[in-house]
Amino acid sequence: MLNKQLLIVGAGPAGLAASIEAKKAGVKDVLVVDINMKPGGQLFKQIHKFFGSSAHRAGVRGMDTGAAMLKEAEELGVEIWLNTACVGFFDERVACIEKGMPDGSKQIVYMKAEKIIIATGGQENVVRFKGWTTPGVMGAGAAQTMINVNKVKPGNKIVMLGTGNVGLIVSYQLMQAGCDVVCLVEAAPGIGGYGVHASKISRAGVPIYTKHTIKEVKGNGPNGRVSEVTIVEIDPKFQHIEGTEKTFEADTVTLAAGLKPVSDLVRLQDIELVFNGPFGGWVPTHNEKMETTCPGIYVAGDTTGVEEANTALEEGRVAGVSAAEALGAISAADAEAWRAEIWTRLDGLRMGPFGEKRAIAKKEVMDAFPGVAEA
Amino acid sequence: MCMRVTDHVILGQDVDPKMIEITVDGQKIPAKEGEPILAALLAQEIMVNRYTVKRNEPRGLFCGIGQCTDCAMIVDGRANVRTCITPAVEGMIVETQYGYGGADDVK
Ligand SMILES: Cc1cc2nc3c(=O)[nH]c(=O)nc-3n(C[C@H](O)[C@H](O)[C@H](O)COP(=O)(O)OP(=O)(O)OC[C@H]3O[C@@H](n4cnc5c(N)ncnc54)[C@H](O)[C@@H]3O)c2cc1C
Ligand code: FES
């Protein structure tokens, strides 16, 4: 069995930031594992410029922030295993890891980690309608990964469901990649995301149907692929209004109905969870150190409630510092001061009309924390 | 039609990607070395990766990041390989998967 001081699961902004902070605080032996072929998590598909303050790299494209973090982590000597999934834990922080080998095969590795940070991010919600499993119906994030990371179009004629920021941004990016976005469909009476993103869509002349949903997708394309999409108006109780159907020819449907935290690893442990609507579902409770009810296991980022890259990054930093403190790399007083600085920035990120809801949600999750269990 | 985005307003042009060949259901197709197998398939407009166990329904790309298993195929004889997170390697043999991809499942 391998031994590690600190194991971090997930190489998104939260996991990478945690690894950087832990290294800076003097932890010698830091390993980050990620199931994907490339590190950076969701950040690497964000080719648009971000909002926020300059302290948080606003105006910088997500992918460039990701590349900068990766470089810093590598320079500090963080070990990163890609194509590698953490598939479960045994008691006493023994992790079972499916390690990707250079020849493409996988090897099971058992690892005893003194501390663990879980930063597994979020996953897209699905929407069910008649024909939702037809090939060509996919998550908006999947389409985004294809165009922005792999530079291949998932289809030619696309219907987007959802007009939150993800729906708007991915629609625009699909057009940048040369796809034809047929229309956007939104159940709510108004557009969900920021006006700047929406105006890019309207300027391109793409219709946005609010108070509408998808009624049916037909798969009469090659090999049963999507061939047409029927949308329908809905009443305030989200019921279809007969006779308002419109049918479009399309080969792809992208779903942008929000994200939920990936909590499978957290669930495998005796970690206390709470349900939180604004955060996307069940999330682990934690204290101001980002430690869970299970001693030595920390959480950070979208796993603890779906927010954004900067909050994920700052939470990762808190977890990294706390793990370093628990490993004896820095004093409690130093760690406390370091964390206070980060929390001030986190509070700043959770202000304003969009942020305030998240500030309340975070407080609820932390108020529910009953304390770390006895080791 | 090739679905590759060769000239992107923000991402620019690819500088000389190393092209390789993989075989999909007996047919040779080009791939960029190291790209996910799924990307090479999409470039050729191949959308269906597998057929389901119970109802034999087609499935294809859904999450693109290894979470859903809709893109599973038989790769070099091994079933249930998620093609969205598995890099393409020269000479790889990729097959559409039926059911669990075992000998009894071949349609
Ligand atoms: C379309 C879109 C637009 C966005 N735009 C913005 C924006 O403008 N501004 C902004 O601030 N934020 C934006 N975001 C949100 C931001 O990208 C995320 O909030 C952020 O990436 C979350 O970071 P994370 O580290 O918690 O998770 P992720 O980035 O999701 O990383 C988690 C990582 O963990 C890995 N993983 C999961 N399970 C395992 C396992 N068992 N074993 C190994 N590895 C595992 C995953 O592969 C992944 O790489 C956007 C998101 C999307 C989808
Ligand atoms: S598309 Fe979901 S695992 Fe590959």
Side-chain angles (χ1 to χ4, degrees):
Chain A
M1 183 151 51
L2 273 172
N3 286 292
K4 285 279 163 205
Q5 276 190 296
L6 177 58
L7 167 66
I8 300 173
V9 185
L16 285 179
S19 74
I20 290 168
E21 232 60 9
K23 265 283 174 189
K24 281 190 189 158
V27 180
K28 282 197 197 71
D29 182 20
V30 181
L31 170 68
V32 184
V33 299
D34 198 292
I35 193 172
N36 272 282
M37 290 158 53
K38 288 184 185 164
Q42 307 274 356
L43 266 184
F44 267 92
K45 41 190 185 191
Q46 313 308 338
I47 61 172
H48 58 282
K49 295 182 180 163
F50 277 24
F51 289 107
S53 68
S54 59
H56 284 108
R57 303 180 67 97
V60 178
R61 299 183 197 279
M63 57 180 184
D64 298 333
T65 303
M69 286 179 75
L70 180 61
K71 186 159 169 272
E72 189 176 3
E74 278 169 347
E75 281 169 5
L76 286 165
V78 172
E79 204 181 336
I80 302 177
W81 293 0
L82 298 173
N83 293 314
T84 298
C86 177
V87 290
F89 297 119
F90 297 94
D91 283 346
E92 299 296 318
R93 295 183 299 280
V94 173
C96 175
I97 288 173
E98 192 194 42
K99 183 180 183 187
M101 306 306 284
D103 68 353
S105 65
K106 306 274 180 182
Q107 194 183 323
I108 298 290
V109 178
Y110 295 98
M111 184 182 295
K112 166 92 193 174
E114 284 173 56
K115 305 290 166 206
I116 295 171
I117 298 174
I118 302 178
T120 48
Q123 104 189 96
E124 296 189 277
N125 290 325
V126 302
V127 181
R128 291 167 191 83
F129 41 78
K130 199 170 169 199
W132 76 278
T133 58
T134 310
V137 178
M138 65 188 73
Q144 196 189 32
T145 304
M146 292 308 136
I147 44 172
N148 293 349
V149 180
N150 300 321
K151 293 171 89 178
V152 50
K153 292 186 276 181
N156 289 308
K157 286 171 91 73
I158 296 167
V159 173
M160 174 70 74
L161 184 65
T163 62
N165 280 325
V166 172
L168 297 175
I169 292 170
V170 175
S171 294
Y172 185 66
Q173 292 176 346
L174 283 161
M175 292 186 236
Q176 284 179 327
C179 302
D180 175 10
V181 177
V182 179
C183 63
L184 283 78
V185 183
E186 167 65 56
I191 292 166
Y194 295 143
V196 252
H197 295 313
S199 64
K200 286 181 184 169
I201 310 287
S202 337
R203 257 182 277 146
V206 175
I208 302 180
Y209 294 99
T210 52
K211 287 193 246 165
H212 274 75
T213 191
I214 293 179
K215 184 176 178 186
E216 183 178 1
V217 166
K218 282 216 172 82
N220 296 325
N223 292 320
R225 187 186 177 136
V226 173
S227 54
E228 59 178 55
V229 180
T230 301
I231 68 168
V232 65
E233 205 177 317
I234 48 175
D235 65 21
K237 287 184 175 158
F238 289 91
Q239 300 303 309
H240 295 180
I241 303 175
E242 293 282 330
T244 59
E245 290 85 355
K246 289 187 186 63
T247 298
F248 302 97
E249 199 186 299
D251 61 7
T252 305
V253 175
T254 45
L255 310 176
L259 286 97
K260 61 170 183 258
V262 170
S263 55
D264 12 6
L265 282 181
V266 180
R267 277 161 200 261
L268 286 175
Q269 287 291 306
D270 254 343
I271 289 175
E272 200 156 307
L273 302 162
V274 280
F275 188 85
N276 193 288
F279 272 171
W282 288 94
V283 292
T285 61
H286 59 79
N287 59 16
E288 72 295 335
K289 294 179 174 177
M290 302 308 296
E291 190 170 14
T292 65
T293 49
C294 197
I297 300 188
Y298 302 77
V299 283
D302 280 358
T303 310
T304 66
V306 172
E307 293 192 71
E308 47 163 43
N310 289 324
T311 43
L313 197 151
E314 297 290 11
E315 284 193 351
R317 286 184 173 144
V318 174
V321 171
S322 304
E325 176 194 356
L327 288 164
I330 47 166
S331 72
D334 285 350
E336 203 45 62
W338 198 332
R339 271 195 299 266
E341 254 176 58
I342 308 173
W343 273 107
T344 308
R345 291 199 297 267
L346 269 170
D347 291 341
L349 287 169
R350 292 181 180 129
M351 284 192 312
F354 280 90
E356 211 179 306
K357 262 191 249 159
R358 296 192 275 111
I360 296 167
K362 186 48 88 177
K363 187 168 180 301
E364 283 168 5
V365 169
M366 291 176 66
D367 282 350
F369 188 72
V372 181
E374 291 289 313
Chain B
M1 194 197 308
C2 182
M3 303 291 279
R4 289 198 192 277
V5 185
T6 45
D7 196 359
H8 191 288
V9 280
I10 290 163
L11 299 169
Q13 271 170 327
D14 271 4
V15 240
D16 258 340
K18 186 175 173 219
M19 296 306 288
I20 55 167
E21 226 174 36
I22 61 174
T23 303
V24 182
D25 289 335
Q27 205 192 332
K28 287 199 161 52
I29 68 163
K32 280 191 230 167
E33 188 176 53
E35 75 178 344
I37 298 168
L38 187 94
L41 299 173
L42 275 186
Q44 308 301 318
E45 290 197 74
I46 301 170
M47 175 48 88
V48 174
N49 306 114
R50 68 180 182 95
Y51 288 84
T52 58
V53 177
K54 286 187 190 155
R55 288 194 257 169
N56 199 35
E57 289 173 352
R59 292 285 187 273
L61 163 67
F62 192 78
C63 74
I65 48 172
Q67 290 174 340
C68 77
T69 69
D70 267 1
C71 66
M73 297 179 87
I74 303 175
V75 176
D76 288 336
R78 246 179 334 133
N80 302 316
V81 176
R82 286 164 295 177
T83 52
C84 70
I85 52 163
T86 305
V89 176
E90 174 71 57
M92 230 171 202
I93 311 278
V94 180
E95 295 161 87
T96 301
Q97 178 168 330
Y98 294 89
Y100 297 120
D104 304 337
D105 293 304
V106 176
K107 197 184 137 192

